[in-house]
Every structure is written in C-alpha cells, then in structure tokens.
Amino acid sequence: MQASLDAALNPASVAIIGASDNPHKVGGRPLLYLQRYGYRGAIYPINPARSSVQGLRAFARIADTPQVPDLAIIAIAGDEAVGAVEACAARGVKVAVVMTSGFAETGEAGARAQARMAAAARGGGMRLIGPNCQGLANFATGMVANFSTIFHELEGRDGPVAIVSQSGANSQAIYALLREKGMSARHVHATGNEADVTVADLAAAVVGDEGVRLVLVYMEAIKDPPTLAAAAARAHARALPILALKAGRTASGQRAASSHTGALATEDRVVDAFFERCGIWRAADPQELVRAAELYVGAHRPHGRRLAFVSNSGASCVMAADQAERQGIPLAPISASAKERLRRALPAFAALDNPIDVTGALLSDSGLLGAVLPIIGDDAQTDLLLIALPVAGAGYDVPRFARDLAQFQQTYPITSAAAAPQAAVRQAFADAGIATFAREGEAMDALAQLADHAALLRRAPPAPLVRIALRGKPRFLSEAESLALIAQAGLPVIEHRLCRDEGELERALEALGADIVLKACSPDLPHKSDHGLVAIGAADPRAEFRRQRERCLALGARFDGVIAARRARGGRELALGARLDPHFGPVLLVGDGGIYLEALKDYRLLLAPCTEDEVAAKLGELRIAPLLGALRGQPPRDVRALARMAVKLGEALIAWDGEVAAVDLNPVMVFDTGAIALDALVEKC
Amino acid sequence: MQASLDAALNPASVAIIGASDNPHKVGGRPLLYLQRYGYRGAIYPINPARSSVQGLRAFARIADTPQVPDLAIIAIAGDEAVGAVEACAARGVKVAVVMTSGFAETGEAGARAQARMAAAARGGGMRLIGPNCQGLANFATGMVANFSTIFHELEGRDGPVAIVSQSGANSQAIYALLREKGMSARHVHATGNEADVTVADLAAAVVGDEGVRLVLVYMEAIKDPPTLAAAAARAHARALPILALKAGRTASGQRAASSHTGALATEDRVVDAFFERCGIWRAADPQELVRAAELYVGAHRPHGRRLAFVSNSGASCVMAADQAERQGIPLAPISASAKERLRRALPAFAALDNPIDVTGALLSDSGLLGAVLPIIGDDAQTDLLLIALPVAGAGYDVPRFARDLAQFQQTYPITSAAAAPQAAVRQAFADAGIATFAREGEAMDALAQLADHAALLRRAPPAPLVRIALRGKPRFLSEAESLALIAQAGLPVIEHRLCRDEGELERALEALGADIVLKACSPDLPHKSDHGLVAIGAADPRAEFRRQRERCLALGARFDGVIAARRARGGRELALGARLDPHFGPVLLVGDGGIYLEALKDYRLLLAPCTEDEVAAKLGELRIAPLLGALRGQPPRDVRALARMAVKLGEALIAWDGEVAAVDLNPVMVFDTGAIALDALVEKC
C-alpha cells in the first residue's frame, strides 16, 4: 500500500525547484498560475541564484524552506532532476511532480535514470508524478502545479469535470474542447511517464472529490487495471460516470498466444470487456470524450433510450429518422390520444408521428413548441428529447422556445437537448440551462450515449478484478484429457471413448454405433483437422483407426489413441473459450464457431466471473445473432445453455487458480434444447 | 424534351410577382438581394398597389413589363399563385420560381392546385421551380432569386461550389457549413415540391458551369435517376466531383416484392449502387457533405490513399494509428533510406515510423517540419499527408510551418492538410492555401474520402441508365422452367432431369446415379424447402417421388413433376440475383447464400450492365469475403466464375427487355474452379 495522493490534489504548501522569474518558462508558469488562481497555501520558489522569484521569497535549497512542503514541483533539467527527487524524499515531501523530460521516453539511458528517480521516491515514502509530465491542476483551490499554456490562453475556472490524462497535450486538448462547450474542469492532471503514479491512481483520487460529477480519462496503456477497477467501483457507488479514451490498439504485454482463444482474446477487445465490466464508457477520440459532457452533469439520468425528435424542418426530421436507424436509437412511440392532441395543436398538414415536424408555422406561432412539448411529456413514452432548429434567424422567438424547453425539462423526467447550427440560437438555449449541440446527429448520439451509460451504471456494482498468476509454463493437454477436465468442471461434453487399440475401438463401436466421428488423440497435434486427422462417418472405422495411427506416427507425434465420439447433428456450431489474461484476469470468449471464428472474428469477450444474462447479452451482439433466433420454421437455439456453460467455464478457470492457462471449446453445438462441447483443447501448467 | 434551364441560372431579366417594400418579407427579399448582389439584368417588381417598390419602378401585372421577363419569382399567397403561373406562361416567361407554400406538402387539395399549376407551366413551355421553394441564387451574376435569411446574415460571395437541394432549410445549412470553412458557393438552389424541375435537373444545369468545381446535392427522393445519371456522366467527363446526401431510407416507389432478391434490392442499398455507378459520393449528413470541400477544390487529386501523419504530439500519433485502423486507411510505408534521413533530421528519441512524431522539439527547432517533409516527398510512397499540431501556442513559429507545408504541396504530388484545435493555428495554414481541420480524425477521413472519390472518377465513364418497363404482371415460373431459362442465357446450372412420372425418374436415376437431390417442381410453390419438398440423398428415391407428389397435391398446388439434380459438394453456397427496378433499371445482387441471405443481409447490389471486375470488387466487400479466400489449407473459391455469371445474368435481364422481372439463384455453389446454379426462381411476365 502506497501513500495516499491527498497531498497531490490538496497540498498545504508547494515548492518549485527550478523556479523562474520568466512566467512563460516551465519553472515559471506554475508560480504564475498558483498566484493567479488564488492558491492559499505557502509557495516556496527554490532557486539558489535569487532571493526572490516572481515577487515571492526564494530559497536556495528544498532543505531551507520554513516548513516541509507537501508538494514539490521539479522543473530543472536532466540529472539534476534525479538529485532534486532525492532531496525532496530526504526532506519528507509527500508528492513530487517532475516536469523535466529526457527520461524513459528517450531510450535506455533515460529509463535507467528514471528508475533511479522512482527508487529514491519509493525509499522516502514519497509519491512521484512524472517525469516528463505537464503536472496537476485543481481549480477548486487554485493549486495549478502545471506548465500548460492553455491556462494562460483560457482563464481557468472551477467546474464539475475531472480530466486525468497520461499525455499533457491531450489533457490540454480535452480541456479546450470542454471549454468550447461552455463548461469547465476542476481537475486537469497529466501523468507523463508514470514512473510511479498512473492515470488509474489519479482517477481513484478525483473520484473521492464530491464536487466532481464527470471523470474523463486518457491513456495509452492501462498499467494498473485493478486500481482503475477499484476507482470505477467507488465511482459506481455514487453513480459518477467515468469516460475513457484508451488509445493504442495493440494490447500491452500480449503473451505469445498459441491457442485460438489466446490469440483473439489478447487484442483490444479485452479492453472493451474490462471497461464494460467497470461501467466505464469508452470513447473513440477526444471529441467523443466530451460530446455529452453537459448532459452528464445535468439533472436527469434517463431510464430508457426512446428518443423524441422535434424540428421545424422536414429535412431534419427525415435525416433524424436515418440517423436513428443507423445508430439503432429507438424513436419514441406516440399514443393515439397524444396524436389526437398533436393534431389539434399543429397545422393541418404537420406530420403527427415522431420525428415531429412542427413545420415553418413556428415562425408565425411562437407558442407551438410550448403546446407540443407537454403532449410528449404527458404521453410518458419518451426518455430523451431533442429539439432541432436548423432555421431560426430573425423573426423567431428563440428565447421563448428556450423557456418552453426549460419548463418542460423541469416538469418531466425526460433528458432534453437542443441542436442549432447558429451560435446565437444555441446560446439562448444554453442560457436557459439546456445542453446544446451544433449538429443534430451528434446530439442524438450524445443523448443515446447518456442513456446507454446510465443503464451500465444501474447494473449491479462491478466485482473486483480477479488476477491469477500462471503456476508455470502451460502445455497442451491431449483432447481426451481436455474433454475430461471440462467434463469434470461440469460442462456437457459429447459422449466419446478414447480407443488406445483396436480392441477398445470394437467396444466403442458397440457402445456408440456407427454414426461417429474418429479423431486422433495426441498432445502434440492440437489442430487435428489441419493434418487430416478427423473422420466423420468413416465407412470402415477400423481402417480409419489404423490410418490415423500411422499418420500420427509419421508426423513424429505421440499417439494416445483415437477418440470415437458420437456424431452430433441439428445444432448450430458456436465457439466458447477462456484464458487467463495477465492484466485483466480470466477472459471468456463466445462467438461463431468452426473456422469462422478466426476468419470472420464474430465474437465477444467478457471478464469472468460473470452472469448468464451477461453472456446471453453478448451472444445477442454477434453478427450471426439472427441465426440463433427462430428462422424459417427452425426453432430458436438454446443460447441460455451456452451461457450457462460459459459461466461455469469462468468459475472453473478461477477455481483452477493458475493451473489452466486457456481453454478452447470449438465447436460447441447449440441445439434447440441444450448445448454440448464437441471439441476441447486445454493449456495446462 | 423540356425547355432548357439556362434562363433559370442566367436570366436576362427578372420579375417579382408580389414584390414587397419590406426587404424581410418573402416578396421583398429577392428584390433586396438582386440589388445588393449586383444583378445586371432588368428587375421588374409586380405589385398593382404601388408605383415603385424598394426604389424600382413597379408594374401592376406581368403583362405590363416592357419586355418579357426571362424569370419570374412568384411570392403571392394561395390560389393567386396558380393564376400568376398561368399569367407568366401566357406572357412567355421561361422560368417561374414559385415560393408560395400550401400545395402538395399540405395534402390532397394542395396537390390538386399544384397539378393545375404544373399543367399551366407545361402548356406554356415554361419551366417551373417549386412551389414551396426557397428559390435560386447565382453569385456569379448576383441573380439571387431567393428568400433565405442566410444571405442577409452572411454576405454572399462567389465561390467554386454549387449547392442544389430539395429542402430550403438544408440548402441554407449546407451553405452555412461551407462558409464556416472559409469557402463559398456560386450556386445555391432549392427546389421545394418539385412540381416540374427536380434536383437532378438543376444538378445537370450547374454541371455545365465551368466555374463550378464541386457539386453538393441534397434530396429525399431521386425523382429522375436518368437525368441525374446523365448529369453525373457530364461531370465525370470533366472530373467534376458530385457529392450527394440522399435522406429517407425507405426506397421510393417500392414494388410489393415477392422474390427474395426483389425484397432486398428495393431497399436503400440500390441508391448506393446507383451513386457508385455514377461516380457520386454519398454523404451521411450535411457535415459529411462539406467536410472535404477544401480538398476537392484544391489542386491535387491523389492517385492512391496511403497516408503520412506527422505530429508534435505522441498521443496524436497513437490516436491516428487507431483511426487509420478503424477506417481502413493505409499508413504510408517509409523506406529504409528515408528512415535513415529521418534519423538524422529528428531528435534521437523520435519515432522514425509513420505516424511520425517530431516530438516537442518542434518548439525549439522551427525548421523541423521543413526538414522532415521533403524526406517524405522524396520517398514517393505517400499519397496523402496530414500535419497535426494539437499543441502550438505561444513560442511556436506556426507561419513558418505553414510556409513549409505550402512549399511541400507545390513540390510533390501529395494532397496535404493541417489539423489543429486552435483557430489561430488553422488560420495560419489556411492563409498559406492549405486545407485545415479542427479534428484530426475528421481530417484523415476527409483525405481518404478524396482519394476514394478520385479513384471512382478515374473509372471508365458510367454507362447511361437502362430503364426497362415490365411487359405485364410477373408470375413465378416453375423451377424446371427457371433453370431452363437461365441455362439458355448461358449460365451454368446443375445437371438435372424433370421427372413427370416414375418412368422418367427411373431413367434419371440411370443417368445421374443415386447421389441426387429430389425437389418437387411447381410454379405454385416457389419456396419448396418451407414445405418439406426437398430431399437430399433420399434412401428410396421412388418412395420420395410419391411422397412429394402427394404433398404437392395435398397443398393444392400444381404438380409438374420432381426434379432430380446431381448433388454438388465441396463449394461455398453464395447467392446471385437480378431484378428490374422501376427507377434504376436492372439491379444485380451478390451475397452470402442460403437462408443467410435474408437473415444476415450480407450482400451487395450493382446496376447492370457491369463488368466482371466490378462484381468481383463487390464480392470482396462482403463480410464473408475472408471465407472466399485461401483458408486453413482450403484453396480460394473461384469468385471470378460467379462474377462472370453475374455479368451474364445482367446482360440477359436487359436482353429479355421487360419479359423477366426477377431472378433468384440461391444457392450458386462456388467451387475452387467454376461455379454453378443449384436453384433458380424466375419471375416472368
């Protein structure tokens, strides 16, 4: 357990090592900002060459300050920064923010210097932020220990958002986008090289700030998933939304994977699974990270995602219907009685369905929105409402429209927003406390995102991350051993016999009949069909046995026998897999089976343990999901049976506690009733 | 052949019926605009109540003007507008622009009045724009016959873009977005109810204006595909790009479709196929319509889509790699020798691969971009280049960067752009003649779009649209008749015999052997398998024949016999279809076969006639495309054979000249060599 980061967010005093009189140098800007933004703690410029810096008394060394500073900013170059960290640690400083660059980001030598720095901090019980970082900023207290130019270009002010970013450039970009939306952030932290403190650590710290109502995170690697998961769990407890932009699609620390599930489950989709489990919404770029920010900090959290769209342009209504279809956003239904009320409120030729076109009549009848909105509200079939006014120049009573929407927003539990290309129109709505967007499509997506994220946050609190270390180097079991282990774990497997010799084959034929599959069994040949070692319905099973044995031996592989398995028919072949991920713990895979799995990559991942419902939901997201339902007279497939198998497999992987690295069950045949593994491949230590 | 629209774009004189002294009324604004924007032709206000309007001599009636006006704007209410159209037609006016609303958009009565208006225009050989339209605007001549407020809010000026929109609100929105990008439009036309002149007509007209370098089109229905196709062909001849936003995903005039191909091919994807054939790029929303406008009117048309990304932020580079992967944009390779040059130009720790991170060193070394860019240019492996500067505040020599990029753009045949969140940074690049973007991802997408559209425009000129009327009401042929017709057209079909009685079955068994499929043949049962009338490898073919005959008769269907077909094995089942679309002519469908076709909708459409290459390209876009290549030791499928069948089917459908409405070949089995139709269903008149 490392020291808390309270002193990073709320230090009682701050020292700046390398303090500069030039407010636009790295060592000068924090001094400028601390004073400008009203930091009330003691500020100690450290500069051996001067008696005062930017009007404050300076000290020659960190050891000279009248009290031990809680936080020290280090802004001196190269190796001197390592010495400064050592001095801070010796002095009892709680947190050092090392802005100096030239460490791990420059190569081996820099990495070694960084390691020395980290060791010095650790030795002194001091937390280290950076090196190569832009620093911290807390606008609640004016503690802006940061050299970003953005707080000079945009006057900082307190707000309900926390930004935590590995990259300084991106913390700035995200902050600027937020300000463009008329919002602001309390916390803006950049962690740089993360020799000690990671984005996850600071996310955990800001989640503890009751004033924060939205957390935006940027990172290129999830260095500490359990800490981020714990932060997310704390945020979940107070319904605080976290959005993350995780860039870099090559999964970090990817183990050379020999099993299929291994290869597929180490890619970026594991990160998706991790975020989903944590209730964290994943954004694709900085714009997506901030697009719904106003909605998040607004009052309502929608309980559904049915959208009503109201516009004075028919074209907007047509495009909104297209966008709803493209993005899978359900348009709210309108009851017959509400339509009757709409008919009376609107011009005779207006469309009475959703999207609702109030037509150009809005120009002459400024009360039209105020008449229509309560009808939608009373109808109680809408969760989200968007008013789009692409045409609203001179002659339109926009302030009245804004008041009507604000009134609606206070009366009904419906999350509302307004879209207009004209800045002045948006401003009128913003002044009335309404979230605004320049683009209609973006507004619809943001509303739907809010609803989806709210649903994620209403789920049961996320279980802590289970991380299990492998107990050794994993090797493939033979198929017979694999099937046995799976059956032991309580999963249904196809009826089969391992026939080590022809005598055993005879007894298997007696027991199973002729409608069987014969498969050579060898731990050296995990992918049998690639070697022609699978025979379905062989006419002469005895000859096939001998052929497979000879082929096996010719390949130089061990020959454990031939598996005779009952032939399964009439189901759909899916794939089920599991593996221990070194970062995220047990990962489950469900997907389309057979060779399709790797060729078409139609699969989903989940972190175990998980529930049957969660697995069923993932199966519903597959592209082939329509094939699992009722189809041309064929009854639906028993996806619940597969979901139960997945839950059990996840539990087993945890219970095996590092003995088993990975399991492939491909195919699992899913019938109208029940499901059964036809093939198994286990990697065991 | 209707009268030309030259007078719509360049009238020698304009009358305004319902001219108002109030410049902000519908009848006043065109007068305001015509004068403000320097229209040099004669202007005739028509207003029986006044001797002058807005300082110009007014006339009581259209008949009173000293010369016949080329164009008349009609801005008087209701039925009077119909009378005005009649008067204009009688006077010999060439084009009437009817702004008055209250016609087809309001219901039946309005539609009848509109029809009267259209008939009057047609009778007088006059073209009619509207009613319910915002009007025309040509900033080359100041002929702004338009009542949109936008030309009051934004000072109009001539530009290289033409906007043609059904919706007035959207013409305005698109124009405003363009102006936000610092660009302008020469033509801004809105067609409203399109009683006569459609978006396609005006698109054809603006394509003839040599000053136009980009055409942006908005429409909710493609009312006249041949005219739009002809306009696109003319634009193609001078490499003039057309972009279209076609809203409204329900295909217009959809015929109740009974065949599978029919049902699938009437949806919105037929519009995609039409646009692709015409070389028209389809945008999803107004923002996408304008996002690449600067690039389109720039000098270079890229010959490939390999992108180089250069930034001073490591985070931007990571996000760019993600975006490239998501959007399938290839990152340009960098040769070893170029890397060596980069190594010498960049700081020791900079990444030498693409995306190229020039690092924060750009702050201290303003010549860095100028050093890096020629290395990329000389390497000649790049088609598109994006410079992203997310951090470029005080201290950065942005004008120098802009000069360096402008110099690069003049030296190398590489299409370039710059992305920066800060408006001032963008302005510096824009001043140097470079296309700029606020968002890096949007810039990448725009560059890739330009390259893709350029490739589309380099194709052979599009063939004219073939529209063929059905010769009657189509009915299903039986399978035997269907297979015969297909075989006659030169497509390979599975070897089969129609067995009308058991004697014929015996002879078929002798000829084909026992490994056959038996299928009842009846024109009344197009979907045999739904009725259990397909038997694969029946143990007792004679009994099966009798069973199918009985089942057929029990269903009350005609019984033509049982088809005995050789059983095909070892290929992949795909689907091939064709139908006559009433709007777009012969449409071909290729897709995943069997029940998958309808359940998963993994198919593509093309307009016939088309080439083998075009069909093969569409097959390559299928989700299941990886299954058609070499896979786990299986050789690739002969997709060329299927493509040849598709080309032939298209030719046949044209040659049948309205006798055949639709053909389903599902499945077609595609082997390692060759392909063959296993099933056929033809709808014939």
Side-chain angles (χ1 to χ4, degrees), chain A residues 410-650:
Chain A
Q410 277 155 31
T411 312
Y412 301 96
I414 296 174
T415 306
S416 311
Q422 290 152 292
V425 176
R426 288 201 299 279
Q427 193 57 53
F429 281 94
D431 291 346
I434 289 152
T436 64
F437 296 84
R439 306 175 176 194
E440 294 160 15
E442 191 179 22
M444 289 174 68
D445 294 347
L447 284 164
Q449 172 188 332
L450 185 80
D452 292 343
H453 200 171
L456 210 54
L457 290 174
R458 271 196 305 274
R459 283 196 197 170
L465 212 57
V466 180
R467 287 216 293 190
I468 300 168
L470 282 184
R471 291 176 178 267
K473 187 175 152 45
R475 291 168 196 284
F476 285 119
L477 297 186
S478 76
E479 183 174 353
E481 294 164 332
S482 296
L483 286 168
L485 191 71
I486 294 306
Q488 224 172 35
L491 280 82
V493 302
I494 191 74
E495 189 183 349
H496 68 281
R497 304 275 181 109
L498 175 63
C499 312
R500 277 158 298 190
D501 53 38
E502 292 182 58
E504 291 190 341
L505 176 66
E506 289 307 325
R507 286 189 289 282
L509 290 172
E510 273 166 40
L512 300 170
D515 194 19
I516 55 171
V517 178
L518 295 173
K519 306 183 276 187
C521 182
S522 165
D524 301 327
L525 299 172
H527 305 302
K528 300 171 290 291
S529 50
D530 291 355
H531 302 288
L533 289 170
V534 177
I536 299 168
D540 181 348
R542 291 148 194 102
E544 180 61 23
F545 179 96
R546 289 189 296 272
R547 193 192 65 77
Q548 291 197 4
R549 181 172 56 193
E550 279 154 35
R551 178 101 185 96
C552 223
L553 297 173
L555 287 164
R558 279 170 286 177
F559 176 74
D560 288 356
V562 167
I563 292 172
R566 196 180 285 286
R567 191 167 163 195
R569 290 166 192 273
R572 170 90 197 171
E573 293 191 349
L574 296 179
L576 172 59
R579 66 177 278 274
L580 286 181
D581 182 277
H583 297 87
F584 300 103
V587 178
L588 293 171
L589 173 153
V590 290
D592 198 7
I595 58 166
Y596 298 151
L597 176 60
E598 282 167 304
L600 299 183
K601 302 203 186 316
D602 186 16
Y603 63 87
R604 288 290 185 280
L605 304 178
L606 305 93
L607 300 194
C610 60
T611 67
E612 200 182 304
D613 282 349
E614 286 166 344
V615 181
K618 288 290 140 198
L619 285 166
E621 292 173 11
L622 295 178
R623 279 203 304 263
I624 54 130
L627 301 183
L628 304 175
L631 198 67
R632 297 274 303 262
Q634 161 206 300
R637 303 304 187 182
D638 190 355
V639 289
R640 284 275 158 187
L642 181 66
R644 283 192 296 275
M645 287 176 71
V647 169
K648 249 183 206 160
L649 183 59

Side-chain angles (χ1 to χ4, degrees), chain A residues 226-359:
Chain A
T227 300
L228 190 55
R234 271 213 285 165
H236 187 278
R238 65 180 188 95
L240 169 63
I242 301 179
L243 277 71
L245 170 52
K246 156 74 178 71
R249 293 189 158 266
T250 334
S252 58
Q254 178 169 341
R255 160 178 92 84
S258 38
S259 74
H260 300 178
T261 307
L264 296 172
T266 45
E267 60 152 285
D268 194 58
R269 292 197 224 183
V270 172
V271 173
D272 291 333
F274 170 68
F275 282 155
E276 183 170 345
R277 183 196 188 82
C278 292
I280 294 175
W281 185 268
R282 188 170 187 182
D285 60 27
Q287 284 75 24
E288 208 174 293
L289 200 58
V290 302
R291 71 173 175 197
E294 289 163 282
L295 293 170
Y296 275 107
V297 302
H300 297 302
R301 287 284 165 81
H303 276 260
R305 61 201 304 271
R306 298 165 303 178
L307 174 84
F309 183 94
V310 180
S311 176
N312 62 337
S313 152
S316 283
C317 289
V318 176
M319 291 190 293
D322 287 352
Q323 177 76 358
E325 187 185 308
R326 251 195 316 269
Q327 303 287 80
I329 302 169
L331 290 169
I334 297 177
S335 70
S337 60
K339 276 186 190 163
E340 179 52 30
R341 285 181 66 192
L342 281 175
R343 198 185 58 72
R344 275 175 276 142
L346 287 173
F349 53 91
L352 302 180
D353 219 331
N354 181 19
I356 300 167
D357 180 4
V358 299
T359 79

Side-chain angles (χ1 to χ4, degrees), chain B residues 90-467:
Chain B
R91 177 83 164 104
V93 166
K94 292 179 183 155
V95 176
V97 177
V98 184
M99 295 176 170
T100 316
S101 58
F103 292 92
E105 80 278 14
T106 63
E108 276 306 310
R112 279 193 300 273
Q114 181 172 312
R116 284 205 312 280
M117 183 185 275
R122 207 165 35 240
M126 180 177 76
R127 300 304 304 262
L128 179 71
I129 294 168
N132 187 33
C133 83
Q134 214 166 48
L136 311 174
N138 179 348
F139 288 98
T141 61
M143 204 293 295
V144 184
N146 197 300
F147 72 86
S148 168
T149 55
I150 196 85
F151 307 121
H152 184 61
E153 290 163 16
L154 296 168
E155 182 68 22
R157 54 183 169 83
D158 196 13
V161 182
I163 298 168
V164 183
S165 168
Q166 201 173 326
S167 149
N170 248 11
S171 72
Q172 210 170 298
I174 295 162
Y175 180 76
L177 288 168
L178 203 62
R179 294 298 301 269
E180 256 180 41
K181 297 179 82 69
M183 297 181 67
S184 197
R186 168 168 298 179
H187 297 279
V188 186
H189 305 313
T191 55
N193 288 7
E194 303 194 339
D196 168 25
V197 173
T198 64
V199 158
D201 292 319
L202 280 171
V206 299
V207 160
D209 182 337
E210 288 296 325
V212 169
R213 288 192 284 151
L214 175 65
V215 179
L216 305 178
V217 171
Y218 172 84
M219 58 204 157
E220 281 152 31
I222 304 179
K223 290 197 184 153
D224 186 3
T227 299
L228 190 56
R234 271 213 286 165
H236 188 276
R238 65 178 187 98
L240 168 65
I242 303 179
L243 278 70
L245 170 51
K246 156 75 178 70
R249 295 192 157 265
T250 332
S252 60
Q254 180 167 337
R255 159 179 92 85
S258 39
S259 75
H260 299 177
T261 306
L264 296 172
T266 45
E267 60 153 282
D268 193 58
R269 290 195 225 183
V270 102
V271 174
D272 292 332
F274 170 67
F275 283 155
E276 183 170 343
R277 181 196 189 80
C278 293
I280 295 175
W281 186 266
R282 187 171 189 183
D285 59 29
Q287 285 74 25
E288 210 174 291
L289 200 57
V290 301
R291 72 173 174 198
E294 289 163 282
L295 293 170
Y296 276 106
V297 302
H300 297 304
R301 285 285 165 80
H303 276 258
R305 62 201 304 270
R306 298 163 304 175
L307 175 84
F309 183 93
V310 180
S311 176
N312 63 337
S313 152
S316 284
C317 289
V318 176
M319 290 188 294
D322 287 354
Q323 178 76 358
E325 186 183 309
R326 250 194 316 269
Q327 303 288 82
I329 302 168
L331 289 168
I334 296 178
S335 71
S337 61
K339 276 188 191 163
E340 179 52 30
R341 285 180 68 191
L342 282 174
R343 199 185 57 72
R344 276 177 275 142
L346 288 172
F349 54 91
L352 302 180
D353 220 330
N354 181 16
I356 300 167
D357 179 5
V358 299
T359 79
L362 187 63
L363 178 57
S364 49
D365 180 359
S366 298
L368 216 43
L369 274 187
V372 163
L373 292 177
I375 302 175
I376 299 168
D378 293 343
D379 202 29
Q381 304 203 71
T382 289
D383 307 298
L384 310 166
L385 179 120
L386 180 63
I387 290 189
L389 298 175
V391 186
Y396 287 88
D397 190 354
V398 177
R400 174 157 180 194
F401 306 156
R403 279 197 309 277
D404 287 341
L405 184 53
Q407 173 71 41
F408 171 82
Q409 202 168 239
Q410 277 154 31
T411 312
Y412 300 97
I414 296 174
T415 307
S416 312
Q422 290 152 292
V425 176
R426 287 201 299 280
Q427 194 56 53
F429 281 94
D431 290 346
I434 289 152
T436 64
F437 295 84
R439 305 176 177 191
E440 295 161 14
E442 192 179 21
M444 290 174 67
D445 294 348
L447 284 164
Q449 173 188 331
L450 184 78
D452 293 344
H453 199 171
L456 210 54
L457 290 174
R458 269 196 304 276
R459 285 197 196 169
L465 212 57
V466 180
R467 288 215 293 190

Side-chain angles (χ1 to χ4, degrees), chain A residues 114-130:
Chain A
Q114 180 173 312
R116 285 206 310 281
M117 184 185 271
R122 206 163 38 240
M126 181 176 76
R127 299 306 301 263
L128 178 70
I129 293 168

